Amino acid sequence: MKLKTVLLSTGAALAIAPAAIAQEMADSMTLVSWGGAYQASQVNAYASPYQAMHPDVEITWDESSPEAVAKLRAQNEAGNIAWDLVDVVAADAMRLCDEGLAMEVDHDEILAPAPDGTPASDDFGDLIVSDCYIPQIVYSTTLAYRNDVEDWTGTPDTVCALFDTENFPGTRTLERRPINNLEWALYCDGVAKEDIYDVLETEEGQDRAFAKLDTIKDQTIWWSAAAEPPQLLADGEAVLGSSYNGRWFSAIEEQDQPISMLWDMQVFDLDGWIIPAGLPEDRLARVKDFVYFATDTQRLADQAKWISYGPARESSAPLVSTHAELGIEMGPHMPTDPENAANTLLYNYEWWADYRDDLDAKFQAWLAQ
Amino acid sequence: MTDAAADAPIPKPDAGDRARPERQEPLLAADGSPLKKSLQRSLRRQKLRAFGLVAPLLLFVLVTFIAPIADMLFRSVENQIVSETLPRTVVALEQWDPEQDELPSEDTFLAMAYDLVEAQELKIHTRLGTRLNYETTGISSLFRRTGRGVDDFGEIYLDQFEDLNPNWDEAGPWVDLVADEGWEHPAPFEPSERFAALMSETAAAYASFARAIQQGSDDNPREEEPWAPVHMALYHDLMRTDPGAIAAYEGPRAEMLREARAAVEGFESQPVREMFVAEEEDWLDPEVWATIKTFSPPYTPGYFLTSVDLKLSPDGEVVAQDEDQRIYMLLFQRTLFMSLMIMGCTILLGYPIAYLISNLPLRTANLLLILVLLPFWTSLLVRTSAWKVLLQQQGVINDTLVWIGLVADDARLTMINNQFGTIVAMTHILLPFMILPLYSVMKTIPPSYVRAAKSLGATNWTAFWRVYFPQSVPGIGAGCILVFILSIGYYITPELVGGTTGTFISNRIAFHISSSLNWGLAAALGTILLVVVLVLYWVYDRIVGIDNVSLG
């Protein structure tokens, strides 16, 4: 049975491949990503091997992902789509899909099946949060703390250490937006994890979350770039804070800072590709060819050699190996590792798509007061 | 100024002309035409030539600067998206008075079903959802979720018609029934007039379906079965059409109609409202409908009201924003206050430096000038980050103060991530914009004036204050305008070192442009900022006089 499916899927792949080649394909691509270590991991895991197979293809990288939604909208209005493939977080992908700026895709048609023949849509599973989205990695927003603070009683082991200024005094650093912070505040105010979004929907629930945040407002540096918190902790400016787990990994493992991870109530988020709507045929054909290759099981697993983000495919997890330079086993540094994922918060994209505008206005007004 | 000087003499010969007695012969040019005309002609030629030379620049500025700004500012009132996406609903909602009826009529729900099913095929309904979500939380997902199921609205009729005659769920018979005889696929769908006269709702619903699939996914109506709302329209039409009229109908597939008319009275029916509620409870929330009604006109003051912490209530009145969402007035005031502070600081720091540079021997002056310019040539981010290193609690300044013993180790000063940090960093960054115009003006003040004043008995202070300072005012004016206007729109530095109390209105504009995608609000905030700057510029002109500004 299994062999049969493998044969069938290989047959299907072979049948698709010549059809794809027969189509006229553009020989250059502009990929949009975040720059830094993350983009480097994509270059190493996807782009370089792809170019080795197709030496005539030119790949240009544009580090515009932070403004991708606005820029894509402007390109669309001007009727000139300059990008071929854009790396965005899940919430942005949903917005781009809503705005009609990203192309809806049939995941089973354009993505490779897993080696055992599982169709892509099952292999990615729930992570396909939007019809336009092709997930690559799972990252998490999580806490970390300086492990050399003398006047602390004990070591922080839950997210609520954030609000425990008795035992863990010192400056905190949190992201300057409501997402994650309000959830953590309610959780530490005694709301059960599964009720958080229901409570946050009500006026009283929101007041309650802000009241909880009020207790640490004066001792918090609110960051807007994820590179800030590791720097603040390394400088001793802050002792406890949130950032992406990959940033903490590089501060701890690569720069050897006296910082420890606190995985409790980490919030998973996704990063992945969207294809802009309205690409010409030849460019679309090239992008599809690239995406088919770059999101297969092995490529996603390879990416973890360069960055501590978990592959979005279930079938990639067993293939994750060691860090390309440090040589350490990457499994235990993945947010998806069972040890780390003992207590996680499921970030509700759809809920935030509704409440983002409203709560952001409240959050900014609260901050400014 | 130079223009005015050049223009001034021109009226004189003209005035002289008029002074001549009328009866005299007009002066003639060499070619015999009146001199006045000939002069005018040559002047016109000159003006045209001058305009021709300026035209490329003018065109360039118009196309690349004025037009985009105008376009952006226009977005602050533009709101066509509602009436374009939901044309039928907007018309139907005009009848609805939120004060009297709790919910809009059944017809409005029906209009919404037709609008929404067309919009979801064209994939524009979520876009409208995002737009309306700025006003009322929850509409975004309401539209997204309902959009997934709306093409099944009226399924109850579809099933019954299909049971009656399977042709009702076939693509071909529908085209035969509704389409105009001359119509073929690639052309936009045209219903036949005969059919539309008999069954207008069905013709409109089917035409909307056919055009939407032609436009949205380039499909041929001859190959796609119509969605369920078309059958709902058919049911409504059949119920209200007299059997005699249908019996007399002679268009293609008339027998299907007759058969359906005979059976339709026994059909089970369902109010459209129930279909919406089955999909999403929130359609029973009058606030959703009120929001659509409030924002249905093609132009809205909504964004401007939000920019000044007001909002439109569902019944169209202007009311104050909820207290926990008021932020923009505070930010405008803060932006103005801090820009003035920064401007004042740059005057206090820049004036002595410019004075020093302009009075030193050339060699030393050049060296100092380079010191002023050096940070000017350094990246903005580097300078801002440098201030972080200096001012933070574990930073150089705090370390030094603790080492000296002025500050206790556990009571280090907070000098960054607040207003103080922003003012310090921005004063430093904008200082050259004050020093350079000051220096260029001071260079031109002859030292002999001050010497003359002193030789006439003035003290050092009087000589400076009464003689030197007034001559340097144009430099201060230029520096102030530059620093103030630059700082009012600054956003990178406040974003990095501003913390919560040091952010500017421009940070919110940037947020709405790049993150929340609320470009209308960003445009309104930007327009207000622009108007504030222009008003201040006008006030400045009235008080100081813009002629009194010298950039060197």
Side-chain angles (χ1 to χ4, degrees), chain A residues 67 86 141 194 315:
Chain A
E67 310 87 54
V86 188
T141 307
E194 56 275 15
S315 60

Side-chain angles (χ1 to χ4, degrees), chain B residues 124-376:
Chain B
I124 50 176
H125 64 302
T126 44
R127 205 171 178 165
L128 177 67
T130 312
R131 160 70 185 96
L132 292 174
N133 203 62
Y134 296 137
E135 316 297 342
T136 300
T137 297
I139 296 193
S140 168
S141 70
L142 184 65
F143 273 58
R144 196 182 313 118
R145 290 193 201 139
T146 312
R148 282 188 205 127
V150 69
D151 55 351
D152 288 334
F153 281 18
E155 205 174 11
I156 180 173
Y157 306 111
L158 169 62
D159 292 344
Q160 294 177 92
F161 278 117
E162 199 189 348
D163 289 345
L164 187 70
N165 183 346
N167 270 347
W168 283 117
D169 196 25
E170 293 293 330
W174 268 102
V175 175
D176 296 344
L177 183 70
V178 188
D180 190 58
E181 272 169 42
W183 171 82
E184 268 319 317
H185 164 50
F189 183 85
E190 277 302 327
S192 82
E193 276 173 32
R194 195 162 37 160
F195 183 76
L198 183 72
M199 312 191 71
S200 57
E201 191 176 333
T202 315
Y206 187 82
S208 141
F209 156 78
R211 285 183 200 145
I213 63 162
Q214 282 182 310
Q215 199 188 332
S217 35
D218 209 13
D219 285 330
N220 186 347
R222 220 171 262 286
E223 286 155 14
E224 300 286 324
E225 302 89 45
W227 48 46
V230 174
H231 299 87
M232 178 157 65
L234 179 67
Y235 173 79
H236 292 154
D237 269 337
L238 287 174
M239 284 300 276
R240 67 173 152 250
T241 313
D242 178 44
I246 289 181
Y249 183 67
E250 285 179 345
R253 303 266 178 187
E255 74 287 350
M256 273 170 74
L257 280 183
R258 282 184 210 113
E259 177 193 26
R261 180 67 189 89
V264 78
E265 304 208 339
F267 275 16
E268 198 187 331
S269 73
Q270 183 190 20
V272 193
R273 186 185 301 189
E274 274 176 27
M275 301 174 193
F276 273 92
V277 175
E279 204 69 32
E280 281 294 315
E281 285 276 328
D282 282 356
W283 287 108
L284 289 183
D285 181 0
E287 205 186 337
V288 168
W289 294 99
T291 306
I292 299 173
K293 188 177 161 77
T294 311
F295 289 93
S296 55
Y299 299 97
T300 175
Y303 293 123
F304 275 104
L305 293 175
T306 311
S307 310
V308 290
D309 290 338
L310 299 170
K311 63 177 178 184
L312 269 184
S313 71
D315 40 2
E317 277 171 43
V318 177
V319 293
Q321 181 69 265
D322 300 338
E323 198 154 341
D324 57 357
Q325 294 203 18
R326 281 180 213 159
I327 179 170
Y328 297 110
M329 285 314 277
L330 175 75
L331 285 178
F332 273 118
Q333 284 162 13
R334 184 190 285 168
T335 305
L336 287 180
F337 166 75
M338 287 179 63
S339 299
L340 287 172
M341 281 289 289
I342 290 159
M343 192 183 87
C345 292
T346 51
I347 296 176
L348 287 181
L349 292 174
Y351 196 91
I353 297 173
Y355 182 81
L356 188 69
I357 297 177
S358 60
N359 283 302
L360 280 177
L362 204 59
R363 274 175 72 98
T364 346
N366 279 343
L367 189 72
L368 279 179
L369 208 57
I370 286 176
L371 288 182
V372 170
L373 287 174
L374 205 59
F376 195 47

Side-chain angles (χ1 to χ4, degrees), chain B residues 381-394:
Chain B
L381 288 172
V382 172
R383 278 180 289 167
T384 308
S385 310
W387 278 110
K388 276 195 127 156
V389 174
L390 281 175
L391 294 176
Q392 64 185 8
Q393 289 199 306
Q394 309 293 328

Side-chain angles (χ1 to χ4, degrees), chain A residues 66-67 69-70 73-74 76-77 94-95 97-100 104 171 176 203 207 221-222 224 228 232 235-237 350 353-358 360-362 364-369, chain B residues 75 123 126-127 130 133-134 137-142 144-145 148 323-327 330 334 388 392-395 416-417 495-496 499-500 503 508 511 513-517 519:
Chain A
E67 310 87 54
V69 185
R73 192 194 215 183
N76 185 282
E77 282 190 12
M94 281 180 78
R95 207 133 34 113
C97 212
D98 277 358
E99 292 261 325
E104 283 184 19
T171 308
R176 196 188 298 170
E203 199 82 16
D207 292 345
I221 299 172
W222 301 92
S224 48
E228 288 175 59
L232 289 168
D235 288 351
E237 274 295 285
E350 193 137 330
D354 277 343
Y355 285 84
R356 186 183 44 223
D357 300 317
D358 191 36
D360 192 80
K362 283 187 182 153
Q364 298 299 337
W366 172 79
L367 271 187
Q369 275 156 19
Chain B
R75 285 167 197 270
K123 299 191 179 66
T126 44
R127 205 171 178 165
T130 312
N133 203 62
Y134 296 137
T137 297
I139 296 193
S140 168
S141 70
L142 184 65
R144 196 182 313 118
R145 290 193 201 139
R148 282 188 205 127
E323 198 154 341
D324 57 357
Q325 294 203 18
R326 281 180 213 159
I327 179 170
L330 175 75
R334 184 190 285 168
K388 276 195 127 156
Q392 64 185 8
Q393 289 199 306
Q394 309 293 328
I416 198 103
N417 295 324
E495 181 74 26
L496 290 175
T500 56
T503 47
R508 290 313 286 168
F511 171 82
I513 288 279
S514 67
S515 194
S516 81
L517 277 201
W519 287 7

